[in-house]
Amino acid sequence: MLKLKLSSKQHFPLATHEKLRFFCSASTAASMADTDSTTPKLMEQNSINPQIHIQQKPDPPFSRPLDPQHFVSALLHSKSISQVKEIHGKVVVNGMLQNLVVANKLLYLYAQHRALSTAYLLFCDMKERNSVTWSVILGGFSKVGDFIGSFGIFRKLIQCGVRPDNYNLPFVIRACRDMAEITSGKIVHGVVVRYGLELNRFVGAALVDMYAKCGEIEDARKMFDDMPSRDLVTWTVMVRAYAECGNPYESLFLFDLMMEGSVVLDKFAMVTVVSACAKLGAMNKATLVHDYLCKNKFSLDVVLGTAMIDMYSKCGCIESANDVFVRMKEKNVVSWSTMIAAYGYHGHGREALDTFDMMLSSGTLPNAITFVSLLYACSHSGLIEEGVRFFASMWDEYSLRPDVKHYTCMVDLLGRAGRLDEAFELVESMTMKKDEGLWCALLGACRIHGHVEMAERAANSLIQLQPHNPGHYVLLSNVYAKAGRWKDVAKIRNLMTQSRLKKVPGWTWIEVDNKIYQFSSGDETHPRSKEIYGMLKNLNEKLVQAGYVPDTSFVLQDVDEEVKVRILSAHSEKLAIAFALVATPSETPIRLTKNLRICGDCHTFSKFVSAVTQRVIVVRDANRFHHFKEGVCSCGDYW
């Protein structure tokens, strides 16, 4: 728990303070004409030079020297810290430092220019302070990221018996948010309750934001629900909080409540809603959000347009994403990179490369994210040589040094192509720190190609980095299972049991009639479960006649072949597809979202279903999108 204590020695050396005290003293300023030649050196040493030019017959600093408004006006028109210091000197000479309005304005400008040492000295010498004074100094510390200083000032405020208010409290609450310091945040929340300010919408919004950013989503929602009135900022904070914590469904539920309550959304709020929709991947919701944007005549600027490209892409509709991209009047490197990434997700590698060429033709230079998108597109489209060329061009042509994400894409690209030795050599040659993403890419390639020894090395590195991530153990277990090494599979499972780690269950979501349905493997909880399994039985008979053969190698359990076929037949993807065939019109595309990678048998199953039923099936798994149409998948052999 953070101690709310400010050490002046730590932040502002006392020696420096004592040297600078002449700055806030009218008597000292008046006697500056008599100072010896060492004074300018002292002022220069401490970088505090009010630049007061003492002449034999000094001109009046202002035409009306005793009018505080003239000093305030001069401060408002100042454009640099040196000008502020010069006016500060004139304020001292004219005895205006005791005027609270003038002193507060000086304090504010020093804080704006990040001159916190001078601002704090001025603050300490102020004999009179009001709410604005405290808010300005708190805001100044927060602006420079000195959150310990913010807490120290806040503690001083409480010790001085000053009543905190809706101006200064949000600064302290945001400091807790930015430090993710939930314990201190709850202490400040206690102060809020003590002074009866928990119902103030500004303070309440700051608390909702703080709890959300600290991962305390239930506390954030409780604060949100208890607020008697909510402004747009508070709604937006709560929508974003749910999206960021992995619950975009609740984000869009709040969006519906905003519509019912006639809350008028601004562009920032809409970007948050669009981003939540992208995380959920629900096409119907995406269409409703787009309709709202059109109805309220939102312009497709760079930020909103880019968010909509991402939304449509992650909802499985690359055509709509491209339509938005084409309609954008202004595009920046983020917009271009997002469109390239969208093509990559959907396996359209050539289109991604064409978009990159268009980007260069437009005069937009790529950045590091652009190359991540490009390399990903090459990896998932089998464009090996193109990917190698782009990787080499980063430094040679654009002076961009590859980071671990670019190396991860290259390991994935080489690994998918079966060039595991090259991928491992690339990993060994890296000088930067290797992360879990890199080792996961290598381990995934080993799983595809059955390279057990290299998989063990990758898995050991992963487990050292993240010993409590069950996914790493499961991947290695799958490699052993594919190789028929069931004793090693049992060892891994025992190790997970001893470490109290559980495999992440596979889920598949499908949207039907604006409602999201969730399926797990062997699920029988759906109200129409009998119809679903009946459809699945009839469908399997037709698929077998069309040439489909269940691939039991994807059942990673040591059981009989008949049991493996039964396990395969009830995978969550297949149940969701069967439900869609029962519950949606025959011409409607079927769109699924899977939290893990789709297995090879379900991939083959989906291809056959698209051919037999003439339905378009779009599956979004943990890695990418798969578009099945008339027995063909957009990913080819690189799923």
Side-chain angles (χ1 to χ4, degrees), residues 325-341:
F325 180 75
V326 170
R327 285 166 44 209
M328 289 175 63
K329 294 180 180 179
E330 181 185 355
K331 304 177 181 72
N332 63 9
V333 65
V334 180
S335 312
W336 287 101
S337 300
T338 302
M339 194 66 232
I340 292 169

Side-chain angles (χ1 to χ4, degrees), residues 36-342:
D36 61 10
S37 60
T38 63
T39 301
K41 294 180 181 179
L42 180 64
M43 294 164 62
E44 181 180 357
Q45 175 185 347
N46 291 283
S47 302
I48 306 292
N49 183 3
Q51 299 179 3
I52 303 175
H53 301 287
I54 306 298
Q55 300 177 2
Q56 298 260 333
K57 296 180 180 180
D59 294 327
F62 296 88
S63 58
R64 300 176 188 175
L66 298 181
D67 185 355
Q69 189 57 41
H70 286 276
F71 292 97
V72 172
S73 178
L75 286 167
L76 289 174
H77 287 89
S78 62
K79 297 181 178 179
S80 65
I81 187 65
S82 60
Q83 290 181 357
V84 175
K85 291 175 181 177
E86 182 177 358
I87 298 167
H88 190 169
K90 294 176 180 178
V91 166
V92 172
V93 168
N94 285 274
M96 278 289 137
L97 199 59
Q98 304 309 313
N99 184 287
L100 191 56
V101 174
V102 175
N104 279 343
K105 188 59 65 177
L106 265 172
L107 190 67
Y108 172 77
L109 286 170
Y110 279 129
Q112 284 295 101
H113 286 285
R114 297 174 179 266
L116 259 295
S117 179
T118 309
Y120 184 69
L121 176 59
L122 174 60
F123 171 79
C124 290
D125 280 350
M126 290 175 66
K127 295 180 180 179
E128 182 185 357
R129 301 173 185 136
N130 62 7
S131 176
V132 174
T133 313
W134 289 100
S135 299
V136 168
I137 195 67
L138 279 168
F141 277 101
S142 296
K143 184 175 182 178
V144 300
D146 188 349
F147 303 124
I148 302 298
S150 291
F151 283 118
I153 295 292
F154 183 66
R155 178 172 179 169
K156 189 171 185 177
L157 179 150
I158 299 298
Q159 289 174 340
C160 290
V162 178
R163 178 183 175 86
D165 58 26
N166 62 317
Y167 293 103
N168 48 53
L169 274 168
F171 286 117
V172 186
I173 296 169
R174 286 169 198 150
C176 299
R177 175 200 68 185
D178 292 339
M179 293 175 61
E181 182 54 56
I182 188 61
T183 304
S184 297
K186 288 183 177 180
I187 292 173
V188 176
H189 190 176
V191 173
V192 170
V193 173
R194 188 192 315 161
Y195 286 93
L197 291 167
E198 68 272 20
L199 299 182
N200 180 278
R201 65 189 181 110
F202 298 107
V203 177
L207 285 169
V208 170
D209 190 32
M210 183 271 293
Y211 279 121
K213 288 290 176 59
C214 291
E216 303 289 334
I217 195 69
E218 292 182 3
D219 288 332
R221 183 58 185 266
K222 186 177 185 305
M223 278 295 310
F224 178 83
D225 289 338
D226 289 345
M227 292 177 70
S229 64
R230 310 176 190 96
D231 59 10
L232 179 58
V233 173
T234 311
W235 279 100
T236 305
V237 164
M238 202 67 238
V239 170
R240 185 177 66 246
Y242 274 118
E244 290 178 350
C245 79
N247 192 353
Y249 182 81
E250 195 66 24
S251 291
L252 296 177
F253 175 72
L254 289 177
F255 173 65
D256 292 339
L257 291 181
M258 293 168 80
M259 298 301 95
E260 292 174 8
S262 301
V263 178
V264 179
L265 280 72
D266 61 10
K267 190 164 292 185
F268 181 77
M270 285 311 306
V271 169
T272 304
V273 171
V274 167
S275 299
C277 201
K279 290 179 182 292
L280 187 61
M283 186 62 187
N284 287 338
K285 280 290 185 184
T287 303
L288 291 173
V289 170
H290 196 171
D291 289 344
Y292 180 88
L293 290 169
C294 294
K295 180 181 177 182
N296 290 276
K297 298 180 180 179
F298 281 88
S299 61
L300 282 179
D301 64 2
V302 170
V303 176
L304 184 55
T306 301
M308 288 188 65
I309 293 170
D310 188 55
M311 176 188 74
Y312 273 125
S313 168
K314 291 179 178 175
C315 289
C317 190
I318 192 67
E319 296 82 9
S320 296
N322 185 61
D323 287 344
V324 172
F325 180 75
V326 170
R327 285 166 44 209
M328 289 175 63
K329 294 180 180 179
E330 181 185 355
K331 304 177 181 72
N332 63 9
V333 65
V334 180
S335 312
W336 287 101
S337 300
T338 302
M339 194 66 232
I340 292 169

